[in-house]
Amino acid sequence: MAVDALDTRILRLLIEQPRTSVREYARILSVARGTLQARIDRLERDGVITGTGPVLSPAALGHPVLAFVHLEVTQGHLDEVGGALASVPEIVEAFSTTGGGDLLARVVARDNGHLEDVIQRLIQLPGVVRTRTEVALRERVPHRLLPLVESVGRTAAGSPK
C-alpha cells in the first residue's frame, strides 16, 4: 500500500496526538474533515493503522520484569504450541522465528521468581523441547514507529507520481 505525504502527516498526528478529534486533525492539516476521515478509513482498511486503544505499561500493572523466551518446538507442533501460548497471560507477544528457536515470546512478570514459574509452565507445554530466556535490563529504544513513518513519507515524497 502506498503511503503519500498527506498519509504521513496524518500518521504523525495520530502518533503524537492520539486523543485529538478528527475535526481538530483536519484543522491542523488544513484538509476537509471528509478527506481526512476517508484517508484514516483507508489506512485502517489497508492494515496500516491496526489499533487505537491505549498503550499500557506492564510495569505499572505490577509486572516490571521483561524477558524474551526462545522456545524450541517439536517438529509439527508449532501451531499447537503457539495456540497454547495465548493462554498464558504473562505472554504479551509471540512470534514464529528462524534461528536458534521456533518461537520467541515477550514475557512480563512480577519478579524473577514469578518469571521462573512462567518459564516452568512453558516448558511443560506439549511440544516444547527447551527454552532459552534473556532478561531485559533496561529499555534503550522504546517501541516507536514515527521514525519509520517519516522515512516512508520521505521516500513517498521523492518518488515520481
Side-chain angles (χ1 to χ4, degrees):
M1 185 235 137
V3 174
D4 65 17
L6 178 56
D7 292 333
T8 301
R9 292 173 55 214
I10 291 168
L11 292 169
R12 178 190 216 26
L13 274 177
L14 291 171
I15 291 168
E16 291 179 339
Q17 300 177 37
R19 300 182 88 172
T20 302
S21 69
V22 172
R23 175 176 288 163
E24 181 62 12
Y25 289 144
R27 187 193 67 73
I28 292 168
L29 296 171
S30 299
V31 298
R33 185 188 173 286
T35 299
L36 179 68
Q37 189 62 61
R39 289 289 187 119
I40 291 173
D41 291 345
R42 181 180 51 82
L43 290 166
E44 288 175 348
R45 189 175 53 254
D46 290 347
V48 175
I49 298 173
T50 59
T52 58
V55 177
L56 305 178
S57 164
L61 292 171
H63 289 69
V65 176
L66 171 63
F68 299 93
V69 179
H70 302 263
L71 295 99
E72 188 176 321
V73 176
T74 304
Q75 208 165 16
H77 289 86
L78 192 59
D79 289 339
E80 178 185 337
V81 173
L85 294 180
S87 70
V88 180
E90 295 86 358
I91 293 180
V92 295
E93 287 183 298
F95 303 90
S96 299
T97 62
T98 62
D102 301 300
L103 292 165
L104 174 64
R106 191 172 120 192
V107 179
V108 296
R110 293 185 300 272
D111 53 39
N112 288 342
H114 181 222
L115 176 61
E116 181 181 13
D117 294 343
V118 172
I119 293 166
Q120 290 303 316
R121 182 174 175 190
L122 298 178
I123 290 171
Q124 308 225 348
L125 293 174
V128 173
V129 176
R130 72 179 48 89
T131 65
R132 188 181 88 245
T133 302
E134 298 166 357
V135 176
L137 300 176
R138 179 179 297 156
E139 183 178 68
R140 297 296 180 168
V141 178
H143 179 77
R144 66 202 181 123
L145 290 174
L146 186 54
L148 178 63
V149 167
E150 290 173 339
S151 174
V152 169
R154 281 191 300 276
T155 301
S159 64
K161 303 275 186 235

